[in-house]
Structures are given as structure tokens and as C-alpha cells.
Amino acid sequence: MPRILIVGGGYAGFYTAFKLEKLLRDGEAEVVMVDPRPYMTYQPFLPEVAAGSIEPRHAVVSQRRHLKKTQVITAKVTNVDHATKTATIEPEHEPAYELQYDVVVVTAGAVSRTFPIPGVADEAIGLKNIEEAVAIRDRVLTNFDKAAQLPPGPERDRLLTFVVVGGGFAGIEIFAELRSFASSLLNRYPELNFSDTHFHLIEAMGRIMPEVSLETSKWVIKNLDQRGATIHLDTQLSSAVGGRCELSTGQVIETDLIVWTAGVMANPQITRNTTLPVEERGRIQTRADLRVGTKDEIVPDAWAAGDVSAVPDLSGGGVGGFCVPNAQHAVRQGKLLARNIVAVLRGEEPRDYFHKNMGAVAGLGIGHGVFQSGKLAIKGWIAWLMHRGYHGLAIPMWERKLRVFSGWWNNFWLGRDNVSLEAVQQPRAAFEEFASRPKV
């Protein structure tokens, strides 16, 4: 049997494997998927996880539970040599080894793209995986606990000042959700009041959320301003050393939490360690039919999809002529990629990927949202319900959908979960403190 190796288990990789299981005949091909994490993360839910509105485990999908015919390997792929059709697999606690394949599918996704700004690498946290969202939630809750014990002053202000860098969809959603989260927490902290909390979003461009109209983006800014959250446009972060955010405008903001959402880039662990062609922006060069290569030249037995790939956007709506890195494209590309692989295995022709964006929807905290499709814009409560309805149904697998919707239902009656588990980052600390040791 030919072996199909899927590098990456995110949206595109998971859906490729899931669809291949349905399309392949018994004995037609063997499917192997390699990813450092044993789950697929539904990234649109990360802002709500960070705001305590969704249980973290409900925002991820177990690979082994739902991929029943795929061999799942929890490890990193550190090199892909397509000339010899060999991939280097590196488990976390075992020696690296070589894995031979017949067909490779690169769906390694994207990572946070940062700039060499002093302090960012040491102080900021991204928003690309579930662990980061949980850490953000726990930091907010722990800071409220600490601040409630302090008198008014610089230290309390620092603990209750939250900074987000990047005004795209991810940045605005986490910014708005955290503002909503903090406002709800104040009911539990009589020592604090609304004016003690400070929220700042830093955006280098002159507007936010380029996926929506300018008028809609201005409404979002006004809405957040009315809720006590400040957006700094045409402003760059110059330094973040020690949590001291120095802005290009000269303003200085002291904070204990910096969330970085200012862009993504194709996973460099793969793109810098492969013999497959990579274009100038560091993505795998990919054709419209999702085969690796150019319009005139095909790399046999190599496919790519999702954020790691440069797939032409035949609808004409993509930036620079390519599909933008988002879940809408990754999911649909993964499904088509599986069909195209099977078609080629059976001597048939693959189909080109085509998807016209029907709109964008964003959640801005409980009861606040925005939806944009062409010139149609819906704002407020209805858009928030549309956001929850769309993403609640879009997350893969019915057991995940039911967990998410039941969690929202429980929160409606019981409120958000506001317990910090920050100590889990050092799980042995309590045991070590009181553990008996041999006398010397």
C-alpha cells in the first residue's frame, strides 16, 4: 500500500485525514499523521477560552478518538526530504528516526510572527494554541486576586492593565473578550471598581479589522471605547522590557500581561527544513489544485494546504492573489485535498480549490458582536448570537458541538467559570514543599 504522510494535525491536516478515511477503499492506502499535539485546536474559540466562556478541552478535538483508521504519531517533523521521500520524526522523549512515505501532505499551519522589539520575546504571550489561552485566563484571574489585596497605586494599576498588540480579528476578539471578562469579575471583587481596570490595544495601521468595512470597524472602536477599552491606531510598540510598554507616540504603559496577535507566518520548522519549493514569504509553493509546485510545474506526490501553503485564491479576494490564512480556507482545502489525493491515486484529475468568502463574524464579549457580508453589516446582540451559532456548529464532531453548546447554556444560568488554575504550571510545587527528604 502507498503511505500517505500528513505533516500537521490542525484544521487542514485533521480534515484531510478524516476525509481520507471515508474515501479510501480498504487496502488502497495507509494514512499516517504526525503532529506535536494529540489534538486539533479550534482557534476561533481561543478568545472565549481566555475569557472563561468555554472549557479549554471543549475547544480542542482529539485526533485518536475521531481518526480511527489513521496512524497518529505525537511528535515533531523536523525535516522533509522529498528527493528520497523521507521525513525525520522527533518524539519528545525518544531518539529521532526516519519515516519513508509515498505521498506527503504538508499542513503544518502557522505560528505567531513577531518583530525584534526589545522585551516581546520575554514578556508577551501569543494566541495560537489552547495552552496560551488558558495561561491568559489564569493570569487575569490571578492578577485580580493580587490586586484586591493591594492599596491603590502603581503596582495595582500594573496588575489590572492589559495590553493587546495587533488589531486584526484575533486581536480585537481577545481584547473585547478580556474587557467583558474583567467587567464580570468586578462583581466578585468589592475591593476593586471599574476605573481600576485598564485595557489598551496597539495597532500600527490606521484602522482595525481589515476584513470588515471601515464604517463597521469604527463602530467596533466606539463600542469598545464606551466599554472602557482604548485602541491606539497608527501606533507601534517600541519596547516591552519588564512589561513597560513604550509606544511610538511617547506614551508608556506598565502592564503584567501583553498578548501578541500582530500576524502569523508559515511554520518555519517545516518550511526551513524541506526540499519542497518555498516562495518568497516562506510558504510552501502550492497550485490551485493543492499539489505542490507552480502553474506550469508539479512536484509529484507532494500536496499542501492551510496556513503553511501559498494557495492561489481563484475568487480574486485574496491578499496578493493567495488565500488568506484562516479557518474557512484550511477546512475546505483539507476536504478537497483528500478528494484530490484519492482522485490521483485512481488515475483521475484533481479539482482546483475555489471558495468565495461569504462574510466575517466576530464575537466582542457577551452580548456584543459584528457581522459583515458585502455591504450588509449587523452589530450588537444579534451578531453575537450569529457568531456563537456559526462557530458552535463549525467546530468538528458532534460531541464537541454538544459540549460547547451545553457549556454556554450552563454559563447562562451559572455564570462564567472564574477559577484560576495557574498553579498547574508548576504541579509539583505543593508536593515538594512538604515532601520528606533523607537526612544527611
Side-chain angles (χ1 to χ4, degrees):
M1 285 192 298
R3 175 181 287 163
I4 301 171
L5 172 64
I6 301 174
V7 180
Y11 294 111
F14 180 87
Y15 273 99
T16 298
F18 186 71
K19 200 71 176 178
L20 281 172
E21 290 191 351
K22 296 181 179 299
L23 296 174
L24 289 170
R25 305 185 187 108
D26 290 341
E28 191 171 10
E30 172 192 7
V31 181
V32 179
M33 187 173 75
V34 185
D35 191 274
R37 293 182 172 87
Y39 50 78
M40 186 212 86
T41 303
Y42 191 71
Q43 292 180 0
F45 279 159
L46 294 183
E48 288 202 59
V49 170
S53 294
I54 292 179
E55 158 65 30
R57 287 177 299 176
H58 296 172
V60 298
V61 181
S62 170
Q63 295 165 352
R64 294 181 182 273
R65 175 171 182 170
H66 296 290
L67 298 177
K68 298 178 173 58
K69 300 178 183 179
T70 300
Q71 180 186 355
V72 176
I73 300 176
T74 305
K76 294 179 181 179
V77 175
T78 56
N79 187 70
V80 176
D81 185 352
H82 196 59
T84 60
K85 292 191 174 180
T86 304
T88 303
I89 312 298
E90 189 175 301
E92 186 173 359
H93 301 295
E94 298 293 333
Y97 61 92
E98 305 296 316
L99 181 70
Q100 297 288 325
Y101 63 81
D102 297 284
V103 177
V104 67
V105 178
V106 183
T107 54
V111 299
S112 295
R113 175 175 61 97
T114 59
F115 307 105
I117 301 170
V120 166
D122 302 314
E123 302 292 338
I125 184 169
L127 192 68
K128 290 294 293 177
N129 58 58
I130 198 71
E131 295 85 356
E132 291 172 326
V134 172
I136 292 169
R137 180 200 66 184
D138 288 347
R139 177 70 64 85
V140 172
L141 289 166
T142 300
N143 282 8
F144 265 76
D145 289 335
K146 292 178 179 178
Q149 303 175 59
L150 295 174
E155 179 58 19
R156 192 167 84 169
D157 286 343
R158 188 182 69 87
L159 289 170
L160 296 179
T161 297
F162 308 100
V163 174
V164 175
V165 184
F169 250 64
I172 291 297
E173 286 194 304
I174 184 66
F175 186 60
E177 288 286 356
L178 289 181
R179 173 67 272 182
S180 176
F181 188 31
S183 297
S184 70
L185 287 175
L186 290 171
N187 295 327
R188 310 294 182 188
Y189 293 87
E191 305 91 342
L192 306 174
N193 57 58
F194 186 87
S195 62
D196 293 324
T197 60
H198 312 281
F199 285 80
H200 299 271
L201 183 138
I202 302 166
E203 170 54 47
M205 305 297 290
R207 60 162 298 176
I208 60 169
M209 304 174 74
E211 298 89 345
V212 303
S213 69
L214 182 60
E215 180 184 354
T216 301
S217 71
K218 289 180 178 179
W219 179 88
V220 173
I221 293 173
K222 181 179 179 181
N223 174 270
L224 287 167
D225 182 64
Q226 292 171 343
R227 292 159 58 189
T230 303
I231 294 178
H232 305 263
L233 297 178
D234 294 313
T235 305
Q236 296 180 356
L237 179 65
S238 304
S239 175
V241 175
R244 188 175 187 271
C245 294
E246 298 179 9
L247 310 186
S248 58
T249 58
Q251 185 176 354
V252 175
I253 302 170
E254 296 276 358
T255 180
D256 192 53
L257 177 61
I258 303 169
V259 181
W260 181 275
T261 66
V264 297
M265 64 179 179
N267 189 336
Q269 188 173 62
I270 299 300
T271 59
R272 295 174 186 172
N273 298 285
T274 181
T275 57
L276 297 173
V278 176
E279 47 90 74
E280 60 272 10
R281 292 190 61 187
R283 300 170 296 182
I284 301 294
Q285 202 163 30
T286 311
R287 294 160 45 89
D289 59 13
L290 305 179
R291 286 184 286 189
V292 174
T294 64
K295 184 178 180 180
D296 302 318
E297 186 176 350
I298 300 170
V299 177
D301 301 321
W303 304 76
D307 295 358
V308 77
S309 64
V311 178
D313 190 340
L314 301 183
S315 73
V319 178
F322 296 99
C323 295
V324 297
N326 64 24
Q328 283 191 45
H329 285 305
V331 168
R332 289 170 173 82
Q333 287 171 8
K335 293 177 180 179
L336 177 63
L337 199 157
R339 297 191 193 99
N340 282 353
I341 290 174
V342 173
V344 170
L345 286 175
R346 296 172 183 172
E348 302 168 5
E349 287 297 314
R351 291 169 43 207
D352 285 348
Y353 174 74
F354 180 91
H355 171 65
K356 187 173 179 63
N357 193 345
M358 299 303 294
V361 61
L364 305 175
I366 303 295
H368 302 271
V370 62
F371 168 79
Q372 182 86 46
S373 179
K375 294 183 179 180
L376 174 64
I378 301 175
K379 306 152 190 162
W381 179 266
I382 296 176
W384 175 73
L385 289 176
M386 293 171 67
H387 172 266
R388 283 204 159 180
Y390 172 77
H391 286 296
L393 293 174
I395 188 172
M397 308 301 135
W398 276 104
E399 59 98 7
R400 292 289 109 176
K401 302 179 200 296
L402 291 174
R403 292 178 194 273
V404 169
F405 278 111
S406 63
W408 283 334
W409 176 253
N410 290 336
N411 286 353
F412 180 78
W413 300 103
L414 304 175
R416 309 182 203 223
D417 187 347
N418 62 355
V419 175
S420 170
L421 297 178
E422 193 171 46
V424 78
Q425 297 174 31
Q426 295 178 318
R428 296 188 66 250
F431 178 82
E432 287 181 322
E433 183 179 358
F434 301 104
S436 297
R437 290 175 171 80
K439 296 182 178 180
V440 179

